[in-house]
Amino acid sequence: MGSVGIDFILQAAVGLLVITAPFDPVKLLFFNQTVTARGMGRTGGALRLTLYVTVILAIAALVGKEALTAMGINLDAFGAVGGLVIALMGFEMLYSGGASQAQGERQREEGPESGDGLLIPLAIPMIAGPGAITTMITFSSQNTSWAGLGAMATAIAAVAIVTFGFYRYMGSLLARMKPTTVAIMARLGGLILATLGFQMLLAGIGNFYG
């Protein structure tokens, strides 16, 4: 494809925002624990976290497709399987009312580790985890033009802006959200994610069979 429409850009941005879920209040609590334990300022911690997430997603968008091609994996087939994985993650969020295992739910429950807790496990896998990486590769494989690359850059920029803005400015407000509210938001995000994943699955199947 030589060009992309606004719908593709919006799907990429919304899908990536939902699957990374940087605005998750529980992840914010993890962030607060980490910056406090490491003696970091909130601004510096938010900038570092945003940089980590941006680099991880950018590498997935730029290198992931080429890596699949080098391994002889059909991009349309990967897009279909990636859509299925994303849809399953959405269903897991929909029924559990929380993050999926691919979004780092287990690491989040275990709490901060030694070392730079902003990189591991907060940036990866809790925010830019396997699900987000799969999403980036899947969307980039659906459009290999410069316009498609621009759409990926727009999606990554949206995640970066939301990540920094939330952890720097909105944290104290949203951290006080009730667990039931968090669960409702997770289920709504899961429904959106499942729908996008199913659309990507159908698109990959359609492209594969021409």
Side-chain angles (χ1 to χ4, degrees):
M1 287 180 286
S3 62
V4 297
I6 188 65
D7 56 337
F8 181 83
I9 297 175
L10 288 176
Q11 284 184 7
V14 172
L16 194 59
L17 279 171
V18 171
I19 206 166
T20 55
F23 35 77
D24 185 346
V26 182
K27 292 178 184 177
L28 175 69
L29 296 177
F30 193 102
F31 173 81
N32 288 340
Q33 292 175 352
T34 302
V35 295
T36 300
R38 307 298 188 273
M40 302 178 187
R42 180 173 292 276
T43 300
L47 281 172
R48 183 180 297 186
L49 176 61
T50 302
L51 177 62
Y52 288 154
V53 171
T54 301
V55 170
I56 293 168
L57 295 178
I59 291 175
L62 293 174
V63 181
K65 179 173 65 64
E66 285 71 17
L68 292 177
T69 302
M71 291 185 290
I73 297 177
N74 182 277
L75 295 180
D76 294 327
F78 181 87
V81 175
L84 177 61
V85 171
I86 294 168
L88 292 176
M89 289 177 58
F91 284 120
E92 185 178 353
M93 293 172 61
L94 180 62
Y95 287 105
S96 69
S100 66
Q101 293 300 317
Q103 291 170 295
E105 178 66 14
R106 182 174 303 170
Q107 288 83 352
R108 185 173 68 178
E109 293 174 352
E110 294 174 353
E113 300 177 349
S114 59
D116 190 347
L118 294 181
L119 175 59
I120 300 173
L122 186 54
I124 182 170
M126 290 172 64
I127 298 178
I133 293 173
T134 300
T135 302
M136 290 303 299
I137 298 176
T138 302
F139 271 113
S140 63
S141 67
Q142 289 180 352
N143 193 300
T144 58
S145 66
W146 285 104
L149 186 61
M152 295 301 98
T154 301
I156 294 174
V159 171
I161 292 172
V162 171
T163 299
F164 177 78
F166 173 72
Y167 288 100
R168 175 60 183 89
Y169 298 107
M170 298 296 292
S172 60
L173 174 64
L174 296 182
R176 295 193 292 269
M177 292 175 63
K178 296 180 179 179
T180 53
T181 304
V182 176
I184 292 173
M185 292 176 60
R187 287 190 168 94
L188 179 60
L191 179 61
I192 295 174
L193 202 61
T195 303
L196 288 176
F198 193 67
Q199 288 179 345
M200 295 163 70
L201 169 63
L202 294 178
I205 294 175
N207 292 333
F208 183 80
Y209 287 105

